[in-house]
Amino acid sequence: MDFARMREARLPIRDRRPSFFRAAVAGAAVLAAAALAGCSSDSDELPYEERPVEQIYNTAMDHMDEKEYTPAAKEFDEVERQHPYSEWARRSMLMGAYAHYKINEYDEAILSAQRFISLHPSNKDVPYAYYLIGLSYYERISDVGRDQKMTENALNSFYELTRRFPTSEYARDAQLKIDLTLDHLAGKEMEIGRYYLNRHDYIAAINRFREVIERYQTTTHTPEALERLTEAYLALGIKTEAQTAAAILGYNFAGSEWYEASDALLAVQGLEPQENKDSWISRAWNTVF
């Protein structure tokens, strides 16, 4: 979205539409506002005061220029409330979403962006709306010790953007954030896997490390996951799987500390890394690479 261009957009002093059309829209907006007022307890909403669309929109843009995002968001919302059928309501929808995002009102930003996509699916700024939704989830990604719902939502939003608009100006950054998000999710699996491994619950640990190999194989956590699999399988006495994990680790990350650790674990039992082509580890690896 070209915000420089959008910021330059100002309405003329007078609305050029016929007065009867303005009156009809204003009347409809008054009724809608009254209905909303009856079911809303949001004290932050501006009191209804009928104003020309150019006055509201230009006031909102003035606030944006001054980086006063809270009053800007309220004024953009007011454009939609009072003049829902105007071109400026469409612009306000996305500008309002951006303003809400800037003041960390992420749910409001998501709702505005989703509404924009729903009402204007062919608009050239739809890619930005998807990007803003993804950012609004991404900014709330918590550390790996917490629930990862926001991480999953961010990932899905960025996937949708890159799938539908692969050549858009936002796709490259979205792909970067996809990679970071996948790494974050892999980190969560590793944390849980280590917990089970320390408790000698080897099957549960293997299931978590397996997730990393099968779903997050291109992340930075893969070498450790392979080493941990070597460790867990040796503890269970399943030597061929341990050797396979170490062999794949050696083929792909020979210089890493994790390969040295897995090789040392095998050596204690007189074993060497050796790939079993029928192992799930080998099949999972070959599926991606």
Side-chain angles (χ1 to χ4, degrees):
M1 183 181 183
D2 188 349
F3 279 104
R5 171 178 54 80
M6 293 290 282
R7 282 198 169 98
E8 289 300 318
R10 291 290 192 278
L11 282 173
I13 299 302
R14 290 187 176 277
D15 188 346
R16 296 172 188 260
R17 293 171 300 175
S19 59
F20 71 86
F21 182 82
R22 297 200 303 272
V25 172
V30 169
L31 293 175
L36 287 172
C39 61
S40 174
S41 59
D42 185 2
S43 59
D44 291 335
E45 187 176 81
L46 292 174
Y48 188 84
E49 176 188 351
E50 185 177 341
R51 288 179 286 161
V53 65
E54 65 269 17
Q55 179 184 341
I56 308 172
Y57 188 86
N58 289 343
T59 299
M61 293 303 291
D62 288 340
H63 286 307
M64 290 291 283
D65 288 342
E66 297 299 322
K67 297 183 174 17
E68 298 169 347
Y69 298 113
T70 296
K74 292 178 181 179
E75 293 291 351
F76 284 127
D77 290 345
E78 194 68 10
V79 172
E80 285 192 73
R81 183 163 68 144
Q82 292 197 28
H83 306 276
Y85 307 112
S86 68
E87 173 191 355
W88 301 97
R90 172 179 58 77
R91 296 194 181 198
S92 294
M93 208 175 295
L94 206 49
M95 292 296 290
Y98 176 73
H100 282 298
Y101 166 77
K102 293 294 290 184
I103 53 177
N104 303 331
E105 292 180 347
Y106 298 121
D107 288 335
E108 290 83 352
I110 290 168
L111 287 174
S112 291
Q114 287 176 334
R115 192 163 68 254
F116 180 87
I117 293 169
S118 176
L119 294 175
H120 312 287
S122 60
N123 188 274
K124 61 182 175 58
D125 288 323
V126 164
Y128 178 76
Y130 277 110
Y131 181 64
L132 192 56
I133 291 170
L135 286 180
S136 295
Y137 287 123
Y138 187 82
E139 295 290 352
R140 289 182 285 179
I141 291 178
S142 56
D143 63 72
V144 294
R146 299 178 181 273
D147 178 74
Q148 297 302 305
K149 183 63 176 176
M150 291 297 172
T151 313
E152 294 281 0
N153 288 341
L155 185 63
N156 292 334
S157 299
F158 289 133
Y159 270 143
E160 186 70 6
L161 170 58
T162 56
R163 182 185 68 83
R164 294 191 59 186
F165 306 99
T167 61
S168 77
E169 61 185 300
Y170 308 104
R172 183 175 181 179
D173 189 59
Q175 185 59 57
L176 174 62
K177 287 181 168 56
I178 286 173
D179 294 340
L180 294 173
T181 301
L182 290 173
D183 204 82
H184 190 82
L185 291 171
K188 176 67 174 181
E189 296 295 334
M190 291 301 300
E191 181 190 56
I192 299 172
R194 290 189 213 99
Y195 169 79
Y196 286 128
L197 192 63
N198 290 333
R199 292 172 60 89
H200 307 295
D201 189 348
Y202 298 114
I203 298 299
I206 286 169
N207 286 337
R208 293 297 179 165
F209 301 137
R210 181 170 184 159
E211 279 288 294
V212 175
I213 300 304
E214 291 185 331
R215 295 186 61 191
Y216 309 115
Q217 199 172 116
T218 59
T219 70
T220 61
H221 297 280
T222 297
E224 182 186 353
L226 288 166
E227 191 279 336
R228 300 295 185 184
L229 284 169
T230 303
E231 185 178 345
Y233 278 124
L234 281 176
L236 291 173
I238 307 176
K239 297 178 180 179
T240 56
E241 293 291 74
Q243 289 175 287
T244 297
I248 291 175
L249 182 53
Y251 295 153
N252 297 277
F253 309 99
S256 72
E257 61 179 308
W258 299 111
Y259 175 64
E260 293 177 3
S262 65
D263 192 43
L265 287 171
L266 291 174
V268 169
Q269 300 193 25
L271 301 172
E272 294 182 350
Q274 184 175 348
E275 183 178 0
N276 173 14
K277 298 292 186 180
D278 293 327
S279 166
W280 71 263
I281 306 173
S282 182
R283 293 196 303 271
W285 195 266
N286 290 330
T287 298
V288 175
F289 295 98

